[in-house]
Amino acid sequence: MNLNATEAVEAGTRIVRATSTFDCGGRCPLRLHVKDNRIVRIEGDDAPEPDQLRTCLRCRAYRQMVHHPERLMHPMKRTGEKGEGRFERISWDEALETLAGRLRHVRDHYGPESIFLASGGGYLGSLHNGGRAAARLLNQFGGYTTHYGNISSEGAVWASLTTYGSVMVGHSREDLMNSKLIVLWGWDPARMISGTNTMYHLIRAKENGARIVSVDPRYHDTAAVLAHEWIPIRPGTDTAVMVAMAFVMIRENLCDRDFLDRYTVGFDRFEDYVLGREDGREKTPSWASEISDVPVETIVRLAREYATTRPAALMDCQGPARSAMGEQYNRCACTLCAMTGNVGRPGGSAGGGLMGIPVGHMFRMSAIPAGKNPVELKGPKIKGTLDIRDRVIMRVHVNRIFDAILEGKAGGHPADIKMMWSMCNNYLNQTGNSNKAARALKQLPFLAVNELFMTAQARYADLLLPVTSAAERSDLTRPWPSGPYFCFTNRAIEPLGECKSDLDIAGDLAERLGFENFNPFTEDDILKSFVEKNPETGPLIPDYDQFRREGIHRLRLPEPIIAFREQIEDIENHPFSTPSGRIEIYSRRVEEMNHPLCPPIPKYMRTPEDRFDPLAEMYPLQLLTPHPKNRVHSELYKVDWLREVEPHRIWINPVDAEPRGIKTGDEVHAFNDRGRVAIEAWVTERIIPGVVSIFEGAWYDPDENGVDRGACANTLTRDGYSGGGAAVMNTNLVQVEKALPG
Ligand SMILES: Nc1nc2c(c(=O)[nH]1)N[C@H]1C(S)=C(S)[C@@H](COP(=O)(O)OP(=O)(O)OC[C@H]3O[C@@H](n4cnc5c(=O)[nH]c(N)nc54)[C@H](O)[C@@H]3O)O[C@H]1N2
Ligand SMILES: Nc1nc2c(c(=O)[nH]1)N[C@H]1C(S)=C(S)[C@@H](COP(=O)(O)OP(=O)(O)OC[C@H]3O[C@@H](n4cnc5c(=O)[nH]c(N)nc54)[C@H](O)[C@@H]3O)O[C@H]1N2
Ligand SMILES: [Mo]
């Protein structure tokens, strides 16, 4: 087979080296075949094994999105009711004048804090574009209010910072080859990627003899392909099982005491809790079994196996952490990693859920600084604090944006929001409680949205500004957790219709607002300076032109990166970045915060809408909302090829389906006090009884009775956050019933 596409190309067709900028955590190097300003074909990476980065289904369907007939092609203003989706075409001139006028009006009448800037959650381009350009402009304009918190991983971030003082808690994926046991604890990389070639490395690790165990309420794709054992567990109860594993390890003398003595602080406090000296309750396997439905023998066996198989990689992630007490799961995972001496060791893991290594995390430095937000300068400095309450004084938690719009200062939020300018997100669809979000956007006086599609949120706009896809501009990007490589995405086609990049929109608007020289550099100048002036990448990418030509710069690491290896090899000269310089199983900083939901050691705690909440009488099923295989959140929703991959369905176990008279293919309603969705059922033993699952990202589409026909998962979720700041996406109770015919 001829893998070198350049040779087989038709006359008039160019091949452009690029990638998508989807936020799946991977980054597929692509060769886009372009003819007459259309991408006509896509091929993946042509590097030989073992370097080749295999392209997944979403990037293979990329051109179906870029050239989708429903792409927004010109600016539009609302003509119907808010949310109705009726718009009329206007000129860029009118659009920019409208936005500039509204910004001036709100700033002058209510103050700049009443302007809300909502930028990217799921979209990941480079930092000069997207929300960054708008922030730079608004900083010059007088400031704005924005959101706080990483909607993906705040629980894991909090846990990693608390325990290690660092978010770089990962190993390069090749290091999985050194593991003898790999525990996928709420981690499904076959679907959510977690680094382009993670599955490749997991498969090799298995071939190399590693045992693979999956702990998850769902028998997911990675487990189906790789796991020797599936341990089903009730959502939100992982910490209880981990604590009971610690109990077994302590009682059976299986802890690495030398490691704990040398590298950690506060294990005694954790031990007091585990053994019941703190609260009179031993955290035995039978205690945890009642909470989690994991059999006692399984907990005991897993504890022994994990403690005695060295090295072992306990791979916790972010899904279970996107929950009401999410950070406790990651903190407890870190604690188990330390108890077994797996931190800083090849084939081991540090836990913490983030899996990032310090290369491949690039372009954080800005060639054009965004400047400071004058609104935030009026507030307290929040750098370094672990206390979420300090972080939401001047900002709105990302999962509370719509509550802030509805309630304003009277509801304890930092501002009375009078307008929102939104880009690179579909938050109505992607944050908790979409019905509340829709109410908020109906009430909000003005919403401008930079978008490629008429998304669920864009329907509520007053003004729609059409933006280019990543294929229509050049950019830099990266795989987020792993690498180690950097991507240059070359402009493949000229902007379609009247689309402009967010950067150009900000530039044009700056002109209207009277700022001169907002975009003084060419695209190439900017990208070049990002690469060359960045202290992280500068030394790593020696030749900008070659990088641009090849579309990728692969790093050759002499050996896999192991988080905290330096600390473990020489703790005296390389302390951890925590106040004690050690791994903090107990955190004084957290104790001093005195936050009722943040114990200083990891603990299992009950939460609202857990399985034991009395509300379960009315809404007896726990709802999970994982990320979809055939989309990136709500992106790619319109692509037919990908819809064919997997219909949008609710997973339900036969034990729950049969008494409700539900069969595969039936239309069912899932509902709670926040909303009701209509969705097809998939009756399957791949999910445990008592739990149902709807993939996030389907577009919210309420009918006249308020039933969400699009079955957006967030019609059912809560707009809250945990003590550590995690968006609560996986702690929900619902009922499911068969839809009545007609
Ligand atoms: N229930 C539930 N909800 C969740 C999650 C969950 O697990 N469960 N996960 C959460 C997570 S981790 C995340 S990261 C968020 C993601 O939340 P969002 O960021 O709101 O989700 P996306 O669907 O990626 O939306 C990105 C939007 O940006 C647009 N876009 C793409 N490129 C550009 C561009 O260059 N400029 C502009 N202006 N727009 C562009 C796309 O068309 C798309 O509509 O969802 C969260 N929501
Ligand atoms: N294809 C695709 N890939 C993506 C994305 C996408 O939208 N599509 N989004 C990307 C983004 S922005 C992010 S942040 C990541 C998210 O990646 P993750 O946060 O890892 O993904 P999730 O799908 O939310 O959840 C992972 C697993 O956790 C399980 N789980 C949920 N609750 C619990 C629990 O209480 N206990 C246990 N043990 N397991 C539980 C789910 O069943 C699921 O199998 O994915 C990235 N990758
Ligand atoms: Mo995310």
Side-chain angles (χ1 to χ4, degrees):
M1 195 169 64
N2 182 5
L3 286 172
N4 185 354
T6 340
E7 290 161 26
V9 166
E10 233 183 281
T13 306
R14 291 179 298 127
I15 292 186
V16 181
R17 298 217 171 231
T19 175
S20 76
T21 49
F22 297 135
D23 185 25
C24 58
R27 200 56 70 219
C28 307
L30 302 175
R31 288 169 295 156
L32 306 178
H33 295 229
V34 177
K35 192 177 183 188
D36 301 331
N37 212 40
R38 271 190 91 78
I39 305 167
V40 292
R41 184 173 175 215
I42 292 181
E43 286 184 292
D45 190 15
D46 50 357
E49 299 277 352
D51 285 347
Q52 191 178 108
L53 295 151
R54 295 281 168 85
T55 307
C56 80
L57 66 164
R58 293 172 300 278
C59 273
R60 289 188 187 279
Y62 182 43
R63 71 190 176 90
Q64 303 290 317
M65 187 206 100
V66 173
H67 295 291
H68 197 280
E70 291 180 36
R71 274 278 304 271
L72 301 177
M73 286 297 162
H74 34 73
M76 291 196 282
K77 71 173 179 198
R78 176 170 66 85
T79 52
E81 295 296 309
K82 282 187 188 246
E84 210 185 337
R86 282 202 292 141
F87 291 86
E88 103 190 354
R89 178 174 181 170
I90 56 173
S91 64
W92 267 112
D93 209 42
E94 184 181 342
L96 291 165
E97 212 42 61
T98 307
L99 183 52
R102 192 53 82 131
L103 285 166
R104 280 201 201 92
H105 172 80
V106 172
R107 180 192 61 184
D108 297 345
H109 283 78
Y110 305 101
E113 63 276 13
S114 291
I115 300 168
F116 194 84
L117 177 64
S119 66
Y123 157 80
L124 250 191
S126 84
L127 296 180
H128 72 287
N129 215 319
R132 180 131 189 147
R136 182 157 67 86
L137 173 62
L138 292 182
N139 283 338
Q140 296 180 26
F141 183 68
Y144 56 94
T145 302
T146 191
H147 40 87
Y148 167 76
N150 184 327
I151 192 168
S152 313
S153 58
E154 209 59 26
V157 168
W158 191 88
S160 296
L161 288 177
T162 302
T163 313
Y164 296 115
S166 165
V167 292
M168 287 300 161
V169 292
H171 295 200
S172 345
R173 300 294 181 265
E174 309 88 88
D175 183 53
L176 289 164
M177 277 299 271
N178 297 319
S179 304
K180 296 213 171 73
L181 169 70
I182 300 170
V183 184
L184 315 168
W185 201 309
W187 188 41
D188 177 18
R191 174 180 49 89
M192 64 66 77
I193 308 299
S194 220
T196 308
N197 269 7
T198 297
M199 276 306 275
Y200 171 80
H201 293 296
L202 275 170
I203 290 165
R204 286 186 64 221
K206 183 174 181 183
E207 286 168 357
N208 198 37
R211 195 173 127 77
I212 300 185
V213 177
S214 168
V215 185
D216 205 292
R218 300 180 318 117
Y219 185 59
H220 52 57
D221 290 357
T222 314
V225 173
L226 286 180
H228 296 95
E229 182 179 4
W230 171 37
I231 301 178
I233 188 168
R234 280 290 200 146
T237 67
D238 306 274
T239 310
V241 172
M242 290 182 190
V243 166
M245 285 170 67
F247 181 90
V248 174
M249 284 154 62
I250 294 167
R251 276 293 166 83
E252 300 189 1
N253 218 2
L254 300 175
C255 311
D256 188 334
R257 292 275 170 184
D258 285 345
F259 189 97
L260 288 169
D261 290 345
R262 271 174 77 82
Y263 301 110
T264 71
V265 293
F267 181 65
D268 50 337
R269 293 284 297 265
F270 183 65
E271 218 174 1
D272 285 347
Y273 164 68
V274 173
L275 298 179
R277 293 196 288 250
E278 186 194 289
D279 58 1
R281 166 129 228 190
E282 289 185 332
K283 310 303 177 301
T284 59
S286 64
W287 166 81
S289 180
E290 275 173 28
I291 294 168
S292 63
D293 287 355
V294 181
V296 170
E297 316 75 69
T298 308
I299 299 174
V300 173
R301 185 166 46 78
L302 184 63
R304 288 179 186 153
E305 192 182 353
Y306 176 60
T308 57
T309 314
R310 305 278 173 88
L314 196 173
M315 306 297 279
D316 55 326
C317 197
Q318 299 157 24
R322 227 172 282 112
S323 66
M325 210 55 81
E327 54 279 351
Q328 300 306 321
Y329 142 83
N330 295 120
R331 271 200 87 194
C332 208
C334 298
T335 303
L336 291 185
C337 295
M339 286 175 73
T340 50
N342 274 301
V343 179
R345 301 254 161 88
S349 74
L354 295 165
M355 300 188 190
I357 57 172
V359 287
H361 264 266
M362 65 151 183
F363 308 132
R364 280 185 291 178
M365 299 302 293
S366 169
I368 321 175
K372 295 229 167 7
N373 180 351
V375 166
E376 291 187 356
L377 288 177
K378 290 183 215 150
K381 281 211 178 99
I382 55 169
K383 222 170 174 268
T385 174
L386 287 172
D387 195 334
I388 182 75
R389 292 166 302 195
D390 294 338
R391 295 181 179 261
V392 295
I393 296 173
M394 300 307 286
R395 291 193 180 186
V396 179
H397 189 277
V398 63
N399 207 26
R400 297 289 282 169
I401 293 173
F402 298 100
D403 197 68
I405 292 174
L406 286 168
E407 307 277 328
K409 280 186 179 162
H413 298 288
D416 291 322
I417 298 164
K418 300 291 176 189
M419 71 172 286
M420 173 156 115
W421 185 16
S422 170
M423 62 211 64
C424 307
N425 72 77
N426 187 10
Y427 284 148
L428 172 142
N429 210 80
Q430 293 304 117
T431 63
N433 199 343
S434 298
N435 281 329
K436 186 196 263 192
R439 282 199 302 282
L441 291 185
K442 277 187 189 152
Q443 178 189 300
L444 182 70
F446 186 80
L447 171 66
V449 177
N450 297 10
E451 248 304 344
L452 287 88
F453 286 93
M454 183 69 78
T455 61
Q457 176 164 281
R459 287 175 74 87
Y460 289 80
D462 297 277
L463 183 67
L464 276 173
L465 306 175
V467 287
T468 48
S469 71
E472 294 148 69
R473 56 192 193 233
S474 293
D475 219 329
L476 305 167
T477 179
R478 57 174 167 80
W480 46 251
S482 58
Y485 61 94
F486 308 120
C487 289
F488 197 110
T489 177
N490 283 288
R491 178 194 299 252
I493 55 174
E494 292 307 309
L496 298 176
E498 294 184 6
C499 293
K500 289 177 194 276
S501 70
D502 296 293
L503 177 65
D504 287 340
I505 294 172
D508 292 351
L509 190 63
E511 222 168 88
R512 307 262 157 173
L513 294 171
F515 300 112
E516 277 169 25
N517 227 11
F518 183 78
N519 283 341
F521 308 110
T522 64
E523 191 175 71
D524 202 50
D525 286 340
I526 297 175
L527 300 183
K528 199 170 192 165
S529 69
F530 264 98
V531 172
E532 291 176 352
K533 286 196 190 146
N534 185 337
E536 276 178 38
T537 50
L540 297 179
I541 307 179
D543 187 338
Y544 174 82
D545 293 323
Q546 186 184 358
F547 177 36
R548 171 163 212 159
R549 216 170 35 248
E550 294 179 357
I552 184 163
H553 180 79
R554 297 173 215 257
L555 292 182
R556 304 273 159 219
L557 300 176
E559 51 187 13
I561 289 176
I562 312 290
F564 309 122
R565 187 178 207 155
E566 270 191 331
Q567 283 82 347
I568 298 309
E569 282 175 358
D570 181 8
I571 184 76
E572 300 313 325
N573 292 308
H574 297 281
F576 286 87
S577 310
T578 51
S580 64
R582 297 292 190 270
I583 300 169
E584 298 203 346
I585 294 172
Y586 159 85
S587 164
R588 182 177 302 279
R589 278 184 301 176
V590 174
E591 175 116 73
E592 284 168 1
M593 262 164 51
N594 202 16
H595 186 305
L597 300 180
C598 298
I601 51 162
K603 278 188 179 173
Y604 166 75
M605 289 180 290
R606 292 274 328 273
T607 75
E609 295 201 43
D610 68 4
R611 60 176 299 202
F612 304 110
D613 189 322
L615 193 67
E617 270 176 39
M618 207 186 323
Y619 302 124
L621 300 167
Q622 291 180 281
L623 169 72
L624 295 181
T625 63
H627 292 222
K629 170 161 68 187
N630 54 350
R631 293 185 295 274
V632 182
H633 314 297
S634 71
E635 278 195 280
L636 297 163
Y637 177 71
K638 287 280 176 180
V639 173
D640 289 335
W641 284 7
L642 292 172
R643 285 184 174 214
E644 272 179 40
V645 170
E646 195 169 74
H648 187 51
R649 297 186 294 199
I650 186 168
W651 295 29
I652 183 167
N653 187 280
V655 167
D656 297 314
E658 272 157 29
R660 292 171 171 83
I662 293 169
K663 296 194 190 60
T664 292
D666 286 349
E667 187 187 65
V668 300
H669 283 187
F671 60 96
N672 57 22
D673 288 343
R674 291 175 291 271
R676 179 178 282 264
V677 307
I679 187 169
E680 190 181 316
W682 185 39
V683 180
T684 173
E685 291 187 336
R686 287 183 62 177
I687 191 158
I688 54 169
V691 184
V692 292
S693 174
I694 299 177
F695 287 116
E696 55 107 326
W699 289 10
Y700 174 73
D701 183 18
D703 67 13
E704 60 287 359
N705 299 316
V707 179
D708 176 7
R709 296 273 150 200
C712 170
N714 286 318
T715 298
L716 302 167
T717 60
R718 290 198 258 160
D719 60 334
Y721 54 91
S722 71
V728 180
M729 299 298 186
N730 286 319
T731 316
N732 321 285
L733 292 175
V734 298
Q735 179 56 295
V736 173
E737 66 188 17
K738 204 167 160 170
L740 296 172

